Amino acid sequence: MEAIAGLHQREHEQRHTLEYKLGQLRYEAQRAFEQYNEVDPRHRLVAAELERRWNAKLEEVEVVQATLVALSQHQRALTDDERVTILGLGERFPEVWDSPHCPMALRKTIIRTVVKEVIVNEDAATERLQCIIHWQGGSHTSFEMPKPQWGIADKTAPDTIELIRQMAVRYSDEEIARVLNKHGRRTGKGNRWTTNRVGAARRRSVIDGHRRPCPDPEVFSLQQAARYCGVGSIR
């Protein structure tokens, strides 16, 4: 509504300027006619130049008049029904935005239509962000929010990282994830461990890993243990 009011104000100022310009041009056109009318017809070159100037002023008058007519046709006040409709759209905006029938492409179109720019300043001391949204209508909204920590720090428990470090010497990310979940360990965000999450935790902590488990010479398999002990193996 502020944008519409601002548009009407600019149109009013433009109309005022054009009306003043039209008055000036009409005066200049009248002066040009008087000069042309007073010249001696025998002075053909002078008469031709004065006539050209007069016609040029008449053309300028017509252009400004046409612009004023177009401006008058474009300018139109909102009806009461239109005002109610616009305000209703604003009140129902969350309903439309959160609707499962509103695709992401439409949300992006809405953002590009109503938002001119977003300015974000960081307060390093408090780790908060000061945000200012400049809307297309000229209004702006200011708010603060905590600085997102995504990808900035690993909040996984140190003992869990140490366990990953020890297991990564011989075991794959998939096996590490299985062991961590069996012992009830969780990620820094409280999620269950997956192969990708173990890999991400390793990379953040600069821990080398293996795609496949490496055999440990100090650990026997079931068959190796049976042979070492001289007994049979039972599966």
Side-chain angles (χ1 to χ4, degrees):
M1 302 304 298
E2 291 180 2
I4 293 174
L7 178 61
H8 286 171
Q9 178 62 27
R10 289 192 295 272
E11 290 177 346
H12 174 75
E13 294 174 354
Q14 183 181 5
R15 182 178 183 84
H16 179 74
T17 300
L18 289 173
E19 288 175 345
Y20 177 80
K21 184 177 181 180
L22 180 61
Q24 287 292 109
L25 288 174
R26 283 174 173 170
Y27 171 78
E28 293 173 2
Q30 180 63 29
R31 288 288 299 149
F33 168 73
E34 292 174 355
Q35 291 174 352
Y36 167 72
N37 193 45
E38 293 174 359
V39 71
D40 190 335
R42 291 174 296 179
H43 299 159
R44 296 180 181 179
L45 293 179
V46 176
E49 176 61 21
L50 292 176
E51 183 179 12
R52 185 193 66 78
R53 294 180 182 180
W54 176 37
N55 290 331
K57 290 299 178 181
L58 291 177
E59 291 178 359
E60 291 185 43
V61 169
E62 291 180 358
V63 169
V64 174
Q65 286 179 330
T67 303
L68 278 170
V69 171
L71 187 61
S72 299
Q73 294 175 347
H74 177 266
Q75 190 175 31
R76 182 180 65 85
L78 290 175
T79 65
D80 292 339
D81 290 342
E82 289 172 335
R83 187 180 298 273
V84 170
T85 299
I86 292 176
L87 294 177
L89 289 173
E91 294 172 354
R92 293 186 54 223
F93 182 77
E95 175 186 345
V96 176
W97 184 267
D98 297 329
S99 172
H101 302 292
C102 182
M104 185 57 64
L106 178 56
R107 291 190 178 100
K108 291 180 179 180
T109 300
I110 293 173
I111 291 297
R112 286 193 294 266
T113 301
V114 300
V115 174
K116 183 178 181 180
E117 64 177 350
V118 179
I119 300 175
V120 181
N121 295 314
E122 177 185 0
D123 187 341
T126 61
E127 292 191 346
R128 294 184 65 81
L129 302 178
Q130 287 84 37
C131 306
I132 301 178
I133 301 177
H134 290 286
W135 306 95
Q136 291 290 357
S139 301
H140 66 272
T141 302
S142 303
F143 63 93
E144 290 189 4
M145 62 176 290
K147 181 180 178 179
Q149 299 298 315
W150 306 321
I152 297 178
D154 183 14
K155 295 184 178 180
T156 303
D159 57 343
T160 300
I161 293 296
E162 182 58 28
L163 181 56
I164 293 175
R165 187 185 306 278
Q166 296 175 8
M167 296 185 64
V169 175
R170 301 197 179 280
Y171 297 100
S172 66
D173 292 344
E174 181 181 0
E175 292 174 306
I176 295 174
R178 185 161 51 247
V179 172
L180 293 176
N181 290 327
K182 184 176 181 180
H183 286 80
R185 303 271 184 166
R186 290 293 183 267
T187 67
K189 295 183 179 180
N191 298 318
R192 287 177 57 83
W193 286 98
T194 63
T195 301
N196 292 335
R197 287 169 181 165
V198 171
R202 280 195 306 95
R203 289 187 289 273
R204 285 195 297 268
S205 300
V206 195
I207 300 174
D208 294 332
H210 301 279
R211 298 183 63 183
R212 296 179 180 179
C214 299
D216 187 346
E218 298 183 359
V219 177
F220 284 170
S221 66
L222 179 60
Q223 289 78 11
Q224 290 172 334
R227 287 196 297 269
Y228 180 81
C229 296
V231 298
S233 60
I234 301 177
R235 295 185 179 181

